[in-house]
Amino acid sequence: MARIGLVATLVAVVATTVAAAIAGAAGVDFAIPDGGERIPLAGFAVVTGFFSVVGVVIAVALRRWSTRPAERFVWTAVVLTAISLVPPVLSGADTATVATLLGLHLIPAAVMIPALARSLGNRSQEASL
């Protein structure tokens, strides 16, 4: 589980950071009006890495304490991903930034959720084997 989580985290970080770099090169400024600052490219990598590790911790906990860890993980991860989409919408940033930030939230979810869910399986399936 740790190896799969680490590899998936690295893939999510690279994919998100590359996508942010491409969006920045295409003209998305990532300026957030509240502080007037731009989100730095390294910020995407750090935040993606941190929350991907949080996802791995959740998966490990569910593997230990749930009889249906894969199912519970997918539900939890999808809900947390949906919640993560709220701040970009409320940020007051321009449309291009908001749309790009929404996409950049979905990239690591698309990497992490399937990878960790596959690695979890269900205890009830394992017990019947």
Side-chain angles (χ1 to χ4, degrees), residues 31-96:
I32 305 299
D34 282 342
E37 296 186 24
R38 287 180 163 69
I39 301 170
L41 197 56
F44 293 104
V46 170
V47 171
T48 300
F50 175 79
F51 284 106
S52 294
V53 170
V54 168
V56 173
V57 170
I58 291 169
V60 168
L62 288 171
R63 184 178 182 100
R64 177 169 181 162
W65 290 300
S66 177
T67 56
R68 297 185 316 210
E71 180 181 334
R72 302 257 190 242
F73 175 76
V74 169
W75 276 103
T76 301
V78 168
V79 168
L80 291 173
T81 300
I83 291 169
S84 81
L85 299 176
V86 174
V89 172
L90 300 178
S91 69
D94 63 48
T95 303

